[in-house]
Amino acid sequence: MQNGRVLKQQNGLYTIEDENGISRVGNAGSKIRKEGYKILAGDFVEYILNTDNSIFINSLLERKNSFIRPPVANLDTLFIVVATDEPAPDFYNIDSMLSITEANNVNPIIVVNKIDIKSQNEICSIYEKCGYKVYSICGNKEDGIDELKNSIEGVCAFAGQSGVGKSTIMNQLFPELLLEVGEISQRIQRGKNTTRITELFKINKDTYVADTPGFGMIDFINFDLLTLEQLNEKAFPEFTPYKNNCKFRNCTHLKEESCAVISAVRENIIPASRHENFIRLHDELSSKNQYK
Ligand SMILES: Nc1nc2c(ncn2[C@@H]2O[C@H](COP(=O)(O)OP(=O)(O)OP(=O)(O)O)[C@@H](O)[C@H]2O)c(=O)[nH]1
Ligand SMILES: [Zn+2]
């Protein structure tokens, strides 16, 4: 029995890379299908190598996380792309994505794009204050691209609103993917119902990029990518140093007068938009729990 990483799944056939970097195609046993697990790009599997060099997947190994859009497992880094303008940043969307990464053990990196049309200072200051890594770039020039490229590690994906420049940046970072990225943009334009296959492209040893940008956040709440408990305990890490100083041990940090988190917001140590979006996510997740 051998272990390998799934790079692609298409029509029930899986492309698996072994520990020496050799890729082979094969299928999965009925046991896995009966268990109802969908094997995703990024999954680690245990398989048998047949004499004809094809493979037969026996079991799916434990994953650290899995996502729906794009369908990938064991994601290490999510690049959250934000434009300074065109489209204007949607801070609720950014904070939702950041919360999901925190809840699912993914390292988030914020990429502020289109710095040629508007200053990046407001966005950078909000997220640097919270301790996040932020890169400012101009996607259609080479400025800042090298520094961003050096931060890429493990299994990565790109996310962000439509039009922020995800495909443009991926083309700059991985010119060798140009063709594939181009094809995907066309597939996106053809409509939402077209089946998209997510494939992990190998950039170098241990570094892969999911070729489908998007990481749609629209219905993340329906998929349990973030629970109320995770929101309170793992998301918004910049609240953590203040939480112990709240007057009440069971402080919700939503509106209590004696809340140390809220004091830090008033003193402009914690950005106000972050606290507003914490409340909004809290409300959304609480109302979801009521109907469960
Ligand atoms: N001014 C300016 N325009 C940019 C920059 N980066 C990308 N664009 C333009 O923004 C538009 C959208 O870029 P895309 O790369 O298609 O954006 P996307 O995020 O992949 O969009 P979707 O495929 O809809 O999700 C294109 O017209 C790009 O040329 C930039 O740094 N500055
Ligand atoms: Zn509090």
Side-chain angles (χ1 to χ4, degrees):
M1 204 79 83
Q2 300 193 29
N3 289 353
R5 188 198 300 259
V6 179
L7 299 182
K8 181 180 172 183
Q9 186 272 111
Q10 187 171 16
N11 303 330
L13 284 180
Y14 302 87
T15 307
I16 316 281
E17 184 190 41
D18 73 9
E19 282 151 354
N20 300 316
I22 298 166
S23 295
R24 296 186 185 88
V25 176
N27 47 36
S30 59
K31 182 171 149 264
I32 291 187
R33 292 201 301 268
K34 271 191 206 127
E35 283 167 356
Y37 287 111
K38 197 169 160 3
I39 301 175
L40 303 172
D43 264 324
F44 288 103
V45 292
E46 209 172 47
Y47 63 88
I48 296 165
L49 182 57
N50 298 316
T51 43
D52 66 356
N53 222 13
S54 69
I55 58 175
F56 183 80
I57 301 172
N58 244 335
S59 60
L60 176 64
L61 302 181
E62 203 182 329
R63 25 166 99 132
K64 83 166 179 179
N65 56 40
S66 68
F67 298 90
I68 298 116
R69 281 183 223 156
V72 285
N74 297 314
L75 190 66
D76 294 308
T77 307
L78 183 69
F79 290 92
I80 299 175
V81 184
V82 189
T84 57
D85 206 359
E86 298 175 26
D90 176 341
F91 290 101
Y92 179 65
N93 192 284
I94 301 168
D95 292 338
S96 304
M97 286 195 276
L98 284 169
S99 300
I100 289 171
T101 61
E102 302 286 359
N104 292 281
N105 301 320
V106 177
N107 175 35
I109 293 182
I110 297 172
V111 181
V112 184
N113 191 32
K114 307 200 187 186
I115 59 172
D116 54 323
I117 53 175
K118 202 177 165 186
S119 163
Q120 69 272 30
N121 292 351
E122 187 199 353
I123 308 171
C124 291
S125 121
I126 291 175
Y127 292 100
E128 280 168 356
K129 246 185 206 171
C130 302
Y132 288 110
K133 186 81 201 146
V134 185
Y135 290 94
S136 301
I137 62 161
C138 188
N140 43 20
K141 296 196 195 108
E142 282 176 18
D143 305 4
I145 289 285
D146 280 347
E147 207 193 333
L148 178 63
K149 196 164 190 168
N150 290 336
S151 71
I152 295 176
E153 237 186 301
V155 177
C156 307
F158 283 75
Q161 283 168 269
S162 180
V164 292
K166 298 179 294 291
S167 311
T168 310
I169 296 167
M170 286 170 82
N171 282 340
Q172 283 277 4
L173 287 170
F174 318 112
E176 65 273 32
L177 297 190
L178 199 60
L179 225 180
E180 288 80 1
V181 172
E183 279 172 11
I184 279 147
S185 305
Q186 282 168 16
R187 267 186 264 161
I188 291 168
Q189 280 159 16
R190 254 187 265 145
K192 287 197 178 112
N193 296 328
T194 322
T195 313
R196 277 190 269 149
I197 297 142
T198 292
E199 185 167 358
L200 288 187
F201 280 95
K202 191 165 187 163
I203 304 304
N204 56 48
K205 193 182 175 313
D206 299 325
T207 306
Y208 301 81
V209 62
D211 70 342
T212 342
F215 202 72
M217 289 296 125
I218 314 123
D219 40 17
F220 71 91
I221 282 178
N222 295 330
F223 292 110
D224 285 330
L225 287 174
L226 177 67
T227 64
L228 192 55
E229 195 185 10
Q230 287 167 331
L231 176 78
N232 285 323
E233 282 169 20
K234 289 179 139 183
F236 295 85
E238 75 277 20
F239 293 5
T240 309
Y242 301 96
K243 283 179 175 171
N244 283 336
N245 301 335
C246 299
K247 184 167 176 193
F248 302 110
R249 270 195 69 207
N250 59 355
C251 184
T252 61
H253 325 296
L254 294 171
K255 57 179 184 211
E256 289 90 338
E257 262 312 309
S258 54
C259 172
V261 173
I262 294 177
S263 299
V265 176
R266 290 204 181 111
E267 287 163 32
N268 205 19
I269 304 169
I270 292 174
S273 66
R274 291 281 290 167
H275 189 246
E276 282 158 22
N277 290 332
F278 168 74
I279 296 174
R280 204 169 144 189
L281 280 165
H282 192 280
D283 288 350
E284 283 236 23
L285 293 168
S286 307
S287 63
K288 176 197 167 192
N289 284 354
Q290 273 175 14
Y291 299 110
K292 250 188 172 174

